[in-house]
Amino acid sequence: MSRLKIDGAVALVTGAGRGLGFAIAGHLQGLGAKVVVCDRDREALSQLPSGLQGLPLDVTQLDQAKLVAGDIVAQHGRIDILVNNAGVIYSEPMVNIMNPAGIMHDYGRFRDALTANLDSVFIMTSAVVEQMVTKRTKGVIVNISSISAYGNEGQTAYAAAKAAVNAMTVTWAKELGRWGIRCNAVAPGFIGTESTRRALSDSILKHIESNTPLRRLGTAGEVAQAVASVIENDFINGAVLDVNGGLTI
């Protein structure tokens, strides 16, 4: 069996105009991949460095996803790697007595969080795997999960979405393996990205650092290294790789 090598592979990374996705895209490019960055942020796409191809895409829209996947295959011949990174960190308590007008978690925002973090992974994987199977490409899907999949206070919707992403990862690993398509997830802990610092206060971040055996937040580069590892090891399938400094041990 020929081993999938990142060097020369065609990789699609979603939500990679900035932050963690951008670090993953840059790392794969540095290892020799042809990387297509998809993001709904057109301004971020316009500022991508040379060598990264940017395509505008709302990953919650199946028609757009199928069109973009088809365009990439038409241009590059195939898609070898899909990294489902796009998502939105969302926090809201189940009960908020400080808001008498709406004490319970808003259902509309719950659904929105699931759409952004769960439906998007299903949609992109569906569009890309269709191309892989049609072109007989032995590829790899990497879903970016989260430590929140274990259940994180104040994140009912986000935690539920990431737990479901883990379940889909294992399910797809079982189903798609017969096509030569592997599926794994990388579950970061608390990474020192802009989105993390926006979502969490300094006091919470300090608390997290003090409870992490390595006594620090992770870096985007460390998550990118983990993504590359599960791509290039052809016998890793159905794994959810925790990258959290030991916070959950």
Side-chain angles (χ1 to χ4, degrees), residues 19-21 89 190-199 205 217-220:
L20 182 58
I89 298 175
F190 295 91
I191 309 301
T193 61
E194 181 182 341
S195 60
T196 298
R197 297 187 186 283
R198 281 200 309 266
L205 289 174
L217 302 180
T219 69

Side-chain angles (χ1 to χ4, degrees), residues 191-213:
I191 309 301
T193 61
E194 181 182 341
S195 60
T196 298
R197 297 187 186 283
R198 281 200 309 266
L200 302 173
S201 67
D202 288 342
S203 61
I204 291 176
L205 289 174
K206 288 178 181 177
H207 177 73
I208 290 167
E209 288 177 348
S210 67
N211 283 278
T212 301

Side-chain angles (χ1 to χ4, degrees), residues 90-111:
Y90 182 68
S91 301
E92 181 176 342
M94 188 62 180
V95 179
N96 182 4
I97 61 173
M98 303 304 292
N99 182 19
I103 292 176
M104 301 306 295
H105 192 302
D106 181 79
Y107 178 62
R109 290 193 290 270
F110 175 84
R111 288 299 327 166

Side-chain angles (χ1 to χ4, degrees), residues 31 49 143 155 158 164 173 188 242:
L31 294 173
N143 298 323
Q155 290 188 325
Y158 187 70
D242 290 330

Side-chain angles (χ1 to χ4, degrees), residues 5 8 15 18 31 81 90 117 122 149 151 184 188 196 198 200 203 221 231 246-247:
K5 295 181 180 179
R18 307 178 191 275
L31 294 173
I81 300 162
Y90 182 68
N117 294 294
F122 174 87
N184 295 292
T196 298
R198 281 200 309 266
L200 302 173
S203 61
I231 290 172
L247 184 56

